[in-house]
């Protein structure tokens, strides 16, 4: 079984669009809601797309804004202007 | 490593307000924009008819020929409600103040040759009167429109026009060394100079347009769609090519604002057109008439500021508007071949 990657954000109005975008772009991802935290798990690979977030948030978005509400994550990180990817060995 | 959170959680019984949930089709978490907009306007229990329009209710869908099953289908892609709108504009204001200071301290506009300053005062400062008219028109749409989704956005748009008018005035004050002369000159140009009169007539006619959605088309789609690119994308670069980017710094807000509000204007027109063929037809009719009037009104102004290049500048903004209208589903059906 592939090791899971996860990303966890604070629960607030700003992360709503981010969580929706991740859920919609990653079919195998599961979203778990805790008090004040949203944790998204996925087997092996998770991608956060800037464009998907921009569609939902109604303004330009810099992927580095993720860090403002980030609680924790696991996986190897690959970053570009357009995608923030978590994975274990490709 | 396992992330193990042990908590006792108190589950909310409801995710959002009932009226918002009804609109969303279920009790789902709603964004602040949705909660600040959906169903805000009263639709029942008005105590009396308005004295100024006793045939209709205070808020009445009959004040326009556009028909919608759901007036909250209009969504602002910018998701502006009062909080986000004021914060966004406040940030832009800070940037603009810095740019104004920069240009002022160095006298970048004050020290331009007299001919250039006169040309800029002619082209830009009387626009503050047009912007005031645009504010008035958007206030009309807010007053007589239906549904917070659209009237909220038109109110913000109206406030933006006042901001634009103020910035144009500040540019005038930088051009006249803070004497205020440019503002007086601009008023005279607006009231008396031949090249400005067609635009003034156009604005005055818009002020007596009864259908608020028709006014939206005339003002926010057609006039702005032609005039703003003409001035800030075609005229302004000519100035910077000759005199450097001082003016570009000060008109940066105008261009960013135009792109941003166009997203909202486009979404509104697209939603109205997609609702029914009758709406689309009506919109096309309004657009055609408005374009004819506006193109005529722009002719003498463009000739003054572009000289021989007026024709090609106007053609460019017309074709940009054409492309935009086609994407929205209200492009011209027939093209003369």
């Amino acid at each position: 079984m592939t090791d899971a990657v996860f990303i966890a954000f604070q629960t607030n109005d700003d992360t709503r669009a981010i969580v929706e975008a991740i859920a919609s772009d990653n079919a195998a991802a599961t979203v778990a809601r805790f008090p004040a935290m949203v944790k998204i798990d996925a087997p092996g690979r998770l991608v956060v797309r800037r464009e998907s977030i921009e569609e939902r948030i109604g303004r330009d978005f810099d992927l580095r804004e993720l860090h403002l509400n980030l609680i924790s994550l696991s996986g190897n990180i690959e970053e570009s202007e357009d995608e923030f990817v978590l994975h274990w060995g490709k | 490593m396992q992330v193990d959170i042990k908590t006792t959680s108190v589950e909310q019984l409801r995710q959002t307000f009932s009226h918002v949930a009804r609109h969303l089709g279920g009790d789902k978490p709603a964004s602040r924009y949705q909660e600040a907009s959906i169903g805000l306007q009263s639709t029942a229990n008005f105590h009396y008819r308005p004295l100024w329009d006793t045939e209709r209710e205070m808020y009445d869908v009959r004040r326009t020929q556009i028909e919608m099953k759901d007036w909250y289908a209009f969504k602002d892609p910018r998701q502006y409600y009062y909080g986000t709108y004021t914060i966004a504009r406040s940030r832009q204001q800070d940037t603009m103040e810095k740019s104004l200071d920069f240009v002022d301290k160095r006298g970048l506009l004050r020290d331009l040759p007299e001919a250039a300053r006169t040309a800029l005062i002619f082209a830009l400062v009387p626009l503050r009167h047009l912007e005031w008219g645009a504010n008035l028109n958007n206030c009309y749409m807010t007053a007589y429109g239906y549904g917070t989704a659209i009237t909220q956005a038109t109110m913000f748009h109206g406030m933006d026009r006042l901001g634009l008018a103020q910035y144009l005035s500040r540019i005038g004050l930088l051009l006249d060394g803070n004497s205020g002369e440019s503002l007086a000159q601009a008023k005279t140009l607006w009231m008396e100079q031949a090249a400005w009169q067609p635009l003034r007539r156009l604005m005055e006619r818009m002020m007596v347009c009864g259908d608020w959605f028709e006014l939206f088309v005339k003002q926010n789609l057609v006039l702005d769609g032609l005039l703003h690119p003409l001035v800030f994308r075609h005229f302004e670069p000519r100035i910077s090519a000759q005199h450097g980017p001082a003016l570009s710094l000060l008109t940066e807000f105008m261009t960013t604002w135009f792109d941003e509000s166009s997203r909202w204007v486009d979404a509104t027109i697209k939603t109205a057109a997609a609702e029914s063929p009758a709406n689309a037809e009506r919109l096309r009719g309004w657009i055609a008439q408005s374009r004819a009037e506006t193109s005529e009104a722009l002719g003498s102004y463009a000739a003054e500021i572009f000289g021989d290049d007026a024709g090609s500048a106007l053609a460019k903004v017309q074709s940009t508007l054409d492309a935009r209208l086609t994407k929205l589903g209200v492009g011209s059906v027939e093209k003369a071949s």
Side-chain angles (χ1 to χ4, degrees):
Chain A
M1 183 178 126
T2 343
D3 280 339
V5 296
F6 81 84
I7 193 165
F9 294 105
Q10 298 186 53
T11 305
N12 57 38
D13 207 46
D14 296 327
T15 59
R16 187 192 313 274
I18 300 171
V19 170
E20 265 181 39
I22 297 174
S24 126
D25 286 341
N26 297 274
T30 49
V31 178
R33 293 176 189 277
F34 299 91
M37 178 174 88
V38 184
K39 183 163 171 277
I40 307 167
D41 296 275
R45 189 186 158 85
L46 186 87
V47 59
V48 185
R49 283 202 184 92
R50 180 182 53 82
E51 222 180 299
S52 312
I53 298 174
E54 284 182 351
E55 271 168 38
R56 288 165 174 82
I57 212 171
R59 58 171 179 83
D60 289 336
F61 188 81
D62 188 326
L63 277 176
R64 290 170 297 179
E65 288 181 56
L66 290 176
H67 295 284
L68 293 173
N69 286 299
L70 183 68
I71 292 177
S72 185
L73 53 76
S74 75
N76 295 316
I77 303 174
E78 250 178 62
E79 280 188 81
S80 76
E81 292 266 319
D82 299 314
E83 288 187 346
F84 183 94
V85 185
L86 295 169
H87 63 86
W88 288 125
K90 280 306 158 217
Chain B
M1 198 189 79
Q2 184 100 23
V3 173
D4 223 20
I5 315 269
K6 295 217 183 335
T7 55
T8 47
S9 62
V10 178
E11 280 302 318
Q12 279 175 258
L13 286 179
R14 289 195 285 180
Q15 302 287 330
T16 185
F17 303 103
S18 313
H19 68 275
V20 175
R22 276 194 293 275
H23 181 89
L24 296 179
D27 189 30
K28 307 174 202 150
S31 69
R32 285 207 190 121
Y33 168 67
Q34 287 168 320
E35 289 184 347
S37 314
I38 291 172
L40 227 65
Q41 179 201 282
S42 312
T43 54
N45 301 326
F46 302 118
H47 291 265
Y48 48 79
R49 292 283 171 92
L51 293 176
W52 39 268
D53 187 5
T54 51
E55 296 301 303
R56 296 192 181 85
E57 299 285 358
M58 199 93 72
Y59 301 108
D60 201 308
V61 296
R62 291 171 292 175
R63 295 208 172 91
T64 177
Q65 291 183 67
I66 294 291
E67 287 172 357
M68 300 289 297
K69 277 195 292 289
D70 177 13
W71 283 90
Y72 291 92
F74 291 110
K75 302 218 184 320
D76 181 352
R78 307 163 303 176
Q79 298 181 32
Y80 276 158
Y81 59 98
Y82 182 79
T84 49
Y85 170 73
T86 51
I87 288 171
R89 290 292 178 257
S90 148
R91 285 206 195 107
Q92 287 171 304
Q93 166 82 353
D94 285 340
T95 311
M96 184 64 173
E97 288 293 339
K98 289 204 181 78
S99 304
L100 285 162
D101 267 341
F102 183 91
V103 171
D104 189 23
K105 261 201 296 249
R106 290 163 181 74
L108 296 175
L109 287 185
R110 195 183 53 231
D111 297 340
L112 284 177
E114 164 118 29
R117 271 183 293 121
T118 310
L120 284 178
I121 291 176
F122 176 91
L124 292 179
V125 190
L127 283 177
R128 66 199 282 257
H129 297 285
L130 260 173
E131 287 299 327
W132 181 83
N135 163 266
L136 203 65
N137 290 335
N138 277 283
C139 287
Y140 183 90
M141 295 171 222
T142 308
Y144 300 107
Y146 195 86
T148 307
I150 218 177
T151 58
Q152 171 175 253
T154 52
M155 191 70 247
F156 298 150
H157 201 69
M159 289 299 105
D160 288 343
R161 311 318 287 257
L162 284 185
L164 286 168
Q166 285 181 12
Y167 288 163
L168 289 165
S169 313
R170 301 281 294 268
I171 291 175
L173 289 174
L174 286 171
L175 284 165
D176 69 20
N178 211 37
S179 67
E181 283 250 338
S182 63
L183 305 183
Q185 283 166 15
K187 180 69 186 282
T188 310
L189 289 168
W190 174 250
M191 295 298 289
E192 295 171 19
Q193 215 271 4
W196 274 103
Q197 298 317 299
L199 275 172
R200 180 160 79 96
R201 193 178 306 123
L202 183 74
M203 178 51 69
E204 291 187 359
R205 287 231 180 91
M206 270 197 264
M207 288 180 185
V208 294
C209 174
D211 185 320
W212 63 270
F213 209 105
E214 183 182 354
L215 186 57
F216 182 98
V217 168
K218 284 170 136 67
Q219 170 70 67
N220 294 342
L221 180 62
V222 178
L223 178 56
D224 294 345
L226 289 172
L227 183 62
H228 267 254
L230 190 72
V231 177
F232 299 110
R233 281 207 204 288
H234 292 278
F235 174 70
E236 188 277 315
R238 287 159 67 103
I239 300 296
S240 359
Q242 286 183 314
H243 301 290
L247 188 63
S248 317
L249 260 179
L250 300 178
T251 56
E252 172 66 13
F253 174 77
M254 283 73 162
T255 45
T256 333
W257 171 84
F258 180 78
D259 289 338
E260 185 209 272
S261 346
S262 295
R263 287 166 57 209
W264 162 65
V265 173
D266 287 356
T268 306
I269 299 287
K270 197 170 184 191
T271 306
E275 173 85 0
S276 67
N279 279 357
E281 227 8 76
R282 198 156 284 131
L283 287 168
R284 274 198 206 97
W286 286 339
I287 289 169
Q289 197 203 356
S290 177
R291 277 185 89 168
E293 294 172 338
T294 311
S295 308
E296 205 191 304
L298 284 172
S300 52
Y301 170 70
E304 278 292 324
I305 66 176
F306 286 102
D308 292 328
D309 298 328
S312 93
L314 281 170
K316 285 205 193 88
V317 296
Q318 292 281 10
S319 82
T320 311
L321 185 61
D322 274 327
R324 192 177 159 193
L325 292 173
T326 309
K327 264 202 288 193
L328 303 179
V330 287
S332 8
V333 183
E334 32 136 48
K335 274 273 166 200
S337 50

